[in-house]
Each structure stands twice: as C-alpha cells, then as structure tokens.
Amino acid sequence: MDKKKKRLITRTIILALLVVAIAYVVYSTATKDKTSVLQVGDQAPNFSLIDLEGNKHVLSDYEGQGVFLNFWGTWCKPCEKEMPYMNNQYAQYKDQGVEILAINIAQSDFEVQKFVDQYGLDFPVVIDKTKGVRNAYNIIGLPATILVSPEGKVTKIVTGELTEQQIGAMMESIKPQ
Amino acid sequence: MEKETITCACGHVNPYGTKLCEKCGRPLTEEEKNTKVVDMRYDGKAIRSKTYNRSVVDKVWNFFSSVKVGIALIIITLLAASVGTFLPQEFYVNVGTLGDKAAYYENTYGTIGKIYYALGLSDLYSSWWFQILVGMLGISIIVASIDRGIPLHKSLTNQRVKRHESFMKRQRIVAEGEVANSEQTLAAIEKEMKALKYNVRRDGDALLAEKNRFSRYGPYINHVGLIVFLVGVSLRVVPGMYVDESMLIREGETIEVMGMPGYFLENDKFILEMHENDEDGPSGEQVRQGVNVVAKNFQTNAKLYKQPEGALPGDTDNLELVKEYSIRVNHPLQHDGYSLYQMDYRLDELYTMTFDLVNKETEKSYGQLTVQLDNPAATYDLGNGSSVEILNYTPDFAGFKDGVPQTNLPVPDNPAFVFKMTTPDTPDGETSFVAIRNTLEPLGENQNMLKFVSATTRNSSGLTIHKDRTIPIIVVGGIIFMIGVAIGSYWNHRRVWVQATAEGKLLLAAHTNKNWFGIKKDLDIVINAAQLPAYVDQLDLNDSEEKQEGDEA
C-alpha cells in the first residue's frame, strides 16, 4: 500500500480509538447515577417480597400482566396522596390484567398495616425489610413508580407524585393486549 | 507544495525535515550547517509530525504531537486540578439531596461557596471538561511518543559505524591528531572501550563504541506507564470495577449491603470507647490533643450474610453466614474484593419505651408494657383483663392534621402514640394521646393513664463499602513509570566515534545524552591508554555543564 495512505489510516485509527475511549469515560461518568442500575427498556430486576398476609410475591410470577410498582413510605406525604388514586384505578384495571405492587421501604408491619387499613387499600403491599429491592431498582427519592410491561420490561420510571389521571394513563399503557 | 525528500551529498534520500543525514550524518539544513555543535536530539531524525501536514487528520495529529501543546495541557490540567482543592469536593460533603448540597456550600462558605457550587467546581474531577482535558493530555502523550519514539528507535537501530567528518566535527567533544599507526590505535581503543563495557563495532578504519542505548527509551517507557495509569483510573467507570458506597445500619438490623448485591449485613453491636480521665483530670492522649474526651475505639460487631445462589432481591430465606467480624477503624471487613470500613456513627436512637398503666387517683398499676419502636404490636395484653391497644403510632411526631397525628420521618426521633387503654374498671376503653412531655385526652377525662417508665436506645453504625479492581492496573502503571524514570535518569547513552581520515589523521567524537562529566572520564582513560591527542569540549561549559542536560530524548 501507498506509504502516505497507510500513514493516514494508522493515524486516523489511533486518534479515533483515543477519542472513543475518552467519550466513553465522559459519557459513563455523566450518566453514572442514572444508568448504573435501571433504565427504560431494561429487564425489570426480579424480586421476591412478602406481603402483610404473609404471601410471597415474585415479580416474574406476574409475567403476562402489566405491573405497576410503587415504592413508598408512610411518612411520605406525596405517597399518601397518590395511594387512594392508585386504589381507584386498580379497581378498574385489575380485571384487565394490571397488577399493583406497593413496596414499602423497611417500615414496621404495624405502621404499614395501619396505613393500609386507613386507606382501605385493595392491592398487595409488600415490605422491603432489607432494602435489597430498593437497591436493585436504585430508588433514591419517594414515591417512585416503575412500570413493567407484560413482557417484564421497564417501560417508565417516575419519581414524584402522580395525579389520578396520570396513574390511569400509565396503567392503560401496560395493559396486556 | 511541501517537499517530500532531501537527498544528501552521500546519495542517501532522507525524509523531509531530517536534520542530519540518516546514513552519514552530514548536516542537511542551513541551520545545522552553520552551528558549531549539531542538534543530536532524536539523533537528527525528522520528527514525524513535522514531515507531513496535509489532511485534517494530519493537522490534528500534529497539534497533539507538539511538545508546546503538551506542556500547555499539563499546565492547564494542573491549574484546573488545583482549583478543585480550594473547597471540599462534593463527595466529602455529607448531605443527602442536591438542594442540601447547594445550601451547604452557600451556608458554609458564603458567596464564594455559592459561586463555586454554581460553576460545578464542587464536583470538578467528575466534570466532562476536566475529563476531556486529561484525555487530551493522554492523546498528547501517546501521539508525541509515537512521533518521536519510532524515528528515534529506527535511527538508533540503524546506526552506521562510519559517519561523515562534518558530523563528527560538529559533535560537542572532538579530538583530532596524528597517530603513528591508526590500525594499532583503533585496536587499542577497542580494547579499552570493551573494558569499560562499551559495545564496539568496527567498519574498516572506523569504530563506534556505544553504551547503555536503552536509556534513550526511558522517557517512552514512563509515558507507557502514565498511559497504563490513566487507563486504570478510567476503568473505574466500567460497572463492577469500582464501588464506593456508604450506609447507616442500626444495631439489630439486617440490611442489604449497598453496592454489594446479594450480601446482607447484621449489626450486632456498635461500640464507642473513650480514653478515660484520671482522677486529676485529662491525661495522656487528651492532653496531647488538647481536649477532654478522646475516642479510643469505634467498632461494629457485624455478621455478613450471603443469599443462596440464584436467590432474588428481597428474598431473605436461608441466608448463609459468610463472616463474623469486628469492624474497626483501619480494620475493614474484607470479602470478595469488597472492604467495609468503619466511618461514622449515630448514638442513642430511641429503641424501646416502657409504660405503666396506672389509675390516676390511686396510682394502682394494671401492669407494664414495652413498645419496640421499630416493630410495635397492635395490642399488649397486661393480664387480669387489662390491655393496651395502639391506635396510631408516629415515629417522628410533627403535629396534627385534620385530627390525625403526622410524622416527619420514619425514624423514632419524637415518637407519639394514640393508645386505647382497657381495664376491668373501664371495660369500654379510654383513649389517650401520648408523646414526649405531652399527653392529651381527646375523648374526655380518663381514669387511667400510661405513665412513662423508661426507654432504651440503640446506636447506628456508618460504614462505607469500597471495591477497586483498578488498583492492580494503577500499581503496574506506577511501576512502569518509575522504571522509565530510573532508566532515563540513572543510565546515559554514551557513544564514541573514531575514524582514520584521508589525511592520515585520527578523528574522534563523543556524544552522551546526559552526564558529560561521565563520558569525559571514560575518554580520559581511553586517550591515556591509546596515546591519543587530547579532546576539546566545543561548548566548553566547564562550570555550567548542567545547562544542556535533562531534556534530550
């Protein structure tokens, strides 16, 4: 090959490799907190948690149904506000193949039970006693809502309070066809 | 139009930019021809980037190849890095949310802190522009090394024994003179140089003695070390290579270890020990540090558990005990590349509260109950037909809203209860709101009350979880770097050329990249033994001899 051409190709390859390496480092650092655990499109991390009645809920058992995961705590005011909305929408979508799993972060059975009784919640409420599921979903702020499609993929991640309308639309979006 | 080649008088075709003919060493540029002593840096080879400058790629390449650009990048990086030390970086600031961080900088450092935070200087080392700066420095190191190292290597491996007189006469150290028998003298020189551990090559009536050529590679080796180091640091962003997390764990709790999926830690006990004061007051460590109380030990007695293979997050059945360990400062619990360090603590969080159910008038007790604040029961049976039911519990009471007690946080900083007390004397039950230093009877005057008896507290331990798989790479990079520095600093590349000229004289020239004193000592021995004429130092820098040193590749 022509010496000049060879030189150009070598230089281009070396520079391109270096630029790619730097771009990767910068990109990874910039998106570290957001992507290290969970992103829309990922397979939702499977988990197994126990509800107040002592029943075990495994996410993968709900395959074929849309799952509305809601991380919450009794002290969290926005969580408290959206719970009745979720309950209303649940009544409507439960028969259409959408399940709600409300995941409490490591509170006592007593407090969670009181809360459930107070608002008459119909959907299963599980307690993440060891915070392992919270870590797996990289939940930092509450409330946090994760939508899981019937195929088990994450389709939406929302941190913060939702309106009843939003909750309805979100459940509609994960309704099995 | 750029020139492609330069043809030397000897007929050798050199690349454009060459200063000294690759074959015979004749000076090729006007500048070189006019100097007394030739520029031996890179042995007169054309620096590659200086040779071609046509396409965009070449222009970018040449930019990074420039030593001036490299030095500018080093200075900019150093200045930027030093700005990051003005105030503590964000990862040293122990606050929760982004808003808290902003407030922290403003409250602690005033307007300067606010500006510092707003400019992103509080997280400088993770900023895109700082990383790009370091990346550009990396490119500069690599490109400049390729551009200079490869031609130098070629030139050093293709050295000819016989050089042109004009090359030799332009060396810094030169000797010229009559000898009785040039062949005999050359043989004597060869013998002496060999005794001094030089590699000697002969080509007819020319001789080249050379020593420690490898020292010319020192700078390139230490550049390789730097690159390995940079690669190691960059690998931190690759998932699984680097973990730096922290968590707070209460005594008695078992929670998943942050950043260590599948592992759980149980805090059996947190211990804080102080140096004790003698009867006559502080002594020893207290006096030395000028304070009354000095901590002696921070310790967490912990148990590390692992989920069975294939278990799901949240599933805590059948946890296997991995290790039981007392984590102390500088004595982390280590497992599978992870280290758990003792970092922080919180003392005396309320854990249990004991109440006595008594009649207000007679102070007759119906029995006691102890509420475990992290796991209260719905009802407590006190026996003899008396019981207490908890109607509501708020761990961190923050007032009423629509008659319902509200809580700020899930931690029991200010616990409050609504109790329903039932005794044989009051079978319908009485309701009482009980908080610290506050009792209300919302449904009317009660006969009985819950009297606070005692409370127990527990401590929390703050641990950091650290894993760094990049350390071995960084260590290797550091070692390579130091080897390069040592090679370049403690060995010098020394060369001596000797040849018989056409006029029947003997011409000698010597060059070293460092330490001219050293090569002169070698020459003294050789000249003495071979009865040669005395050499001349053309720069004659007897008292400022260090001036030229240290910057030749």
Side-chain angles (χ1 to χ4, degrees):
Chain A
M1 202 197 290
D2 177 8
K3 211 174 161 189
K4 256 185 276 172
K5 222 172 184 176
K6 211 166 138 189
R7 182 195 78 217
L8 183 69
I9 290 169
T10 322
R11 287 182 175 186
T12 311
I13 291 171
I14 293 173
L15 286 175
L17 283 177
L18 292 172
V19 168
V20 167
I22 294 168
Y24 173 74
V25 170
V26 172
Y27 174 79
S28 305
T29 315
T31 55
K32 203 176 177 187
D33 297 333
K34 292 163 231 155
T35 59
S36 61
V37 181
L38 200 62
Q39 251 182 327
V40 169
D42 288 353
Q43 191 71 29
N46 201 4
F47 60 83
S48 160
L49 289 173
I50 313 251
D51 71 13
L52 292 166
E53 279 79 48
N55 304 314
K56 191 178 251 190
H57 293 264
V58 178
L59 181 65
S60 60
D61 290 350
Y62 292 99
E63 210 178 294
Q65 296 184 53
V67 183
F68 186 100
L69 292 178
N70 181 265
F71 290 85
W72 69 286
T74 63
W75 73 94
C76 145
K77 298 287 176 284
C79 305
E80 198 171 349
K81 222 170 147 190
E82 66 184 16
M83 279 290 178
Y85 303 153
M86 281 161 57
N87 213 25
N88 294 342
Q89 294 299 318
Y90 182 61
Q92 209 175 327
Y93 281 97
K94 146 172 94 167
D95 299 329
Q96 300 181 44
V98 176
E99 190 56 71
I100 293 183
L101 282 179
I103 302 173
N104 175 276
I105 310 290
Q107 285 189 277
S108 64
D109 291 1
F110 176 84
E111 288 163 276
V112 176
Q113 186 66 60
K114 280 284 166 197
F115 186 92
V116 169
D117 293 347
Q118 188 187 340
Y119 288 97
L121 303 179
D122 299 320
F123 46 80
V125 176
V126 293
I127 304 178
D128 184 17
K129 293 267 184 205
T130 59
K131 301 177 185 173
V133 179
R134 182 198 68 173
N135 295 348
Y137 279 81
N138 198 27
I139 303 298
I140 295 159
L142 294 182
T145 303
I146 318 270
L147 294 186
V148 182
S149 72
E151 294 77 38
K153 293 259 188 293
V154 174
T155 61
K156 201 176 174 78
I157 304 170
V158 183
T159 305
E161 193 183 326
L162 297 166
T163 64
E164 184 157 358
Q165 225 173 357
Q166 284 174 312
I167 294 172
M170 285 162 80
M171 290 199 177
E172 185 69 33
S173 76
I174 49 170
K175 207 169 74 178
Q177 298 306 312
Chain B
M1 271 310 284
E2 61 180 295
K3 288 179 223 149
E4 288 295 322
T5 54
I6 306 169
T7 310
C8 175
C10 71
H12 184 77
V13 180
N14 296 285
Y16 175 73
T18 308
K19 289 176 175 167
L20 305 172
C21 174
E22 292 171 332
K23 192 178 167 201
C24 65
R26 274 194 187 87
L28 296 175
T29 61
E30 280 308 311
E31 199 189 335
E32 287 302 331
K33 281 173 190 161
N34 295 330
T35 56
K36 205 167 163 194
V37 175
V38 292
D39 178 5
M40 285 293 282
R41 193 178 295 179
Y42 318 117
D43 263 36
K45 274 281 226 179
I47 296 167
R48 288 180 150 204
S49 62
K50 302 284 161 61
T51 321
Y52 316 99
N53 197 354
R54 190 170 285 166
S55 64
V56 179
V57 173
D58 287 334
K59 288 208 163 76
V60 173
W61 185 271
N62 294 348
F63 174 78
F64 284 112
S65 172
S66 156
V67 170
K68 275 182 198 154
V69 169
I71 290 171
L73 283 171
I74 291 172
I75 291 171
I76 295 168
T77 309
L78 280 178
L79 288 177
S82 62
V83 169
T85 65
F86 289 176
L87 296 182
Q89 291 284 295
E90 273 175 34
F91 46 81
Y92 295 122
V93 176
N94 213 351
V95 289
T97 63
L98 279 176
D100 291 348
K101 274 181 187 164
Y104 172 87
Y105 279 96
E106 189 171 357
N107 296 339
T108 319
Y109 304 106
T111 317
I112 293 172
K114 193 180 175 184
I115 296 168
Y116 198 77
Y117 182 83
L119 288 176
L121 301 177
S122 55
D123 196 18
L124 186 143
Y125 304 111
S126 315
S127 69
W128 60 270
W129 60 267
F130 187 76
Q131 289 176 338
I132 288 176
L133 206 54
V134 175
M136 281 169 60
L137 190 58
I139 296 181
S140 162
I141 292 171
I142 292 171
V143 170
S145 298
I146 291 174
D147 253 17
R148 290 167 176 76
I150 291 177
L152 177 70
H153 171 76
K154 279 189 179 163
S155 147
L156 289 175
T157 45
N158 295 326
Q159 283 185 84
R160 277 151 212 268
V161 175
K162 198 162 187 172
R163 293 298 185 106
H164 192 259
E165 273 179 43
S166 58
F167 169 85
M168 293 180 65
K169 282 180 176 162
R170 278 184 173 78
Q171 293 300 321
R172 179 169 157 185
I173 292 174
V174 185
E176 195 176 6
E178 311 271 345
V179 286
N181 183 332
S182 63
E183 187 47 49
Q184 235 173 39
T185 314
L186 280 171
I189 292 171
E190 184 174 352
K191 191 173 156 248
E192 283 305 318
M193 295 308 271
K194 275 185 175 157
L196 289 168
K197 298 208 169 73
Y198 280 73
N199 293 316
V200 182
R201 288 193 298 161
R202 290 285 303 270
D203 178 10
D205 52 2
L207 175 149
L208 168 59
E210 190 179 14
K211 189 179 185 178
N212 298 339
R213 185 198 283 173
F214 68 91
S215 81
R216 297 290 284 272
Y217 296 95
Y220 303 97
I221 293 169
N222 84 45
H223 283 175
V224 169
L226 275 179
I227 295 300
V228 171
F229 191 94
L230 274 180
V231 168
V233 175
S234 308
L235 280 177
R236 282 185 173 194
V237 301
V238 176
M241 293 296 277
Y242 182 77
V243 172
D244 189 16
E245 299 277 0
S246 58
M247 67 175 188
L248 206 59
I249 178 169
R250 298 182 177 94
E251 285 174 331
E253 267 187 342
T254 302
I255 57 175
E256 196 191 53
V257 184
M258 288 290 284
M260 206 176 165
Y263 285 95
F264 295 81
L265 197 75
E266 181 182 346
N267 180 356
D268 275 348
K269 191 160 182 54
F270 174 75
I271 299 165
L272 171 60
E273 289 174 298
M274 300 293 182
H275 286 284
E276 277 171 35
N277 285 341
D278 294 341
E279 278 171 16
D280 23 308
S283 65
E285 207 48 41
Q286 286 98 313
V287 172
R288 213 165 299 139
Q289 298 190 21
V291 288
N292 287 324
V293 186
V294 173
K296 188 161 72 177
N297 185 26
F298 303 91
Q299 179 175 329
T300 305
N301 293 345
K303 287 195 186 105
L304 183 70
Y305 297 93
K306 191 184 193 311
Q307 279 183 330
E309 208 58 46
L312 297 174
D315 185 0
T316 47
D317 297 341
N318 310 317
L319 290 183
E320 298 155 10
L321 180 66
V322 176
K323 203 176 249 186
E324 211 176 329
Y325 190 77
S326 301
I327 303 171
R328 284 157 295 141
V329 174
N330 294 335
H331 296 275
L333 189 165
Q334 291 181 309
H335 181 72
D336 196 22
Y338 291 89
S339 301
L340 278 68
Y341 290 92
Q342 183 69 54
M343 279 304 267
D344 199 1
Y345 64 93
R346 304 268 189 283
L347 293 180
D348 301 334
E349 180 182 290
L350 277 172
Y351 183 48
T352 66
M353 290 175 89
T354 302
F355 300 95
D356 198 1
L357 180 59
V358 294
N359 185 291
K360 283 191 199 169
E361 299 267 312
T362 63
E363 302 224 337
K364 177 196 160 195
S365 170
Y366 293 96
Q368 293 193 345
L369 68 145
T370 298
V371 181
Q372 193 182 326
L373 296 175
D374 70 340
N375 191 20
T379 51
Y380 293 84
D381 189 357
L382 306 183
N384 301 321
S386 304
S387 68
V388 173
E389 189 185 341
I390 302 180
L391 297 178
N392 185 295
Y393 163 54
T394 46
D396 186 19
F397 177 66
F400 294 95
K401 194 183 160 199
D402 304 329
V404 181
Q406 303 290 311
T407 189
N408 263 340
L409 290 169
V411 288
D413 285 342
N414 184 21
F417 303 88
V418 178
F419 288 118
K420 188 178 174 192
M421 307 167 287
T422 313
T423 64
D425 303 329
T426 54
D428 292 339
E430 298 169 318
T431 304
S432 171
F433 171 80
V434 178
I436 292 173
R437 293 170 184 274
N438 185 4
T439 303
L440 296 173
E441 295 175 353
L443 306 178
E445 189 84 2
N446 294 340
Q447 287 183 33
N448 300 319
M449 64 179 281
L450 279 161
K451 211 172 98 187
F452 173 74
V453 178
S454 65
T456 61
T457 60
R458 59 175 170 173
N459 304 327
S460 302
S461 175
L463 303 172
T464 62
I465 300 94
H466 199 76
K467 178 173 103 165
D468 196 348
R469 291 245 152 100
T470 68
I471 293 273
I473 301 170
I474 291 172
V475 168
V476 168
I479 291 171
I480 295 174
F481 179 87
M482 288 315 294
I483 290 174
V485 170
I487 286 176
S489 308
Y490 295 111
W491 283 271
N492 337 115
H493 181 212
R494 296 175 185 172
R495 279 177 293 178
V496 177
W497 296 269
V498 190
Q499 61 180 280
T501 60
E503 302 93 59
K505 284 183 178 174
L506 202 67
L507 185 59
L508 178 145
H511 177 261
T512 179
N513 63 330
K514 270 195 183 71
N515 188 3
W516 291 88
F517 179 74
I519 197 169
K520 284 177 185 170
K521 253 171 52 182
D522 287 353
L523 285 176
D524 287 339
I525 297 171
V526 173
I527 282 171
N528 204 12
Q531 312 264 306
L532 282 176
Y535 60 80
V536 182
D537 185 339
Q538 303 212 64
L539 292 180
D540 206 28
L541 298 168
N542 286 329
D543 30 27
S544 55
E545 116 142 19
E546 302 298 313
K547 219 166 104 183
Q548 282 263 308
E549 289 187 14
D551 57 352
E552 285 191 31

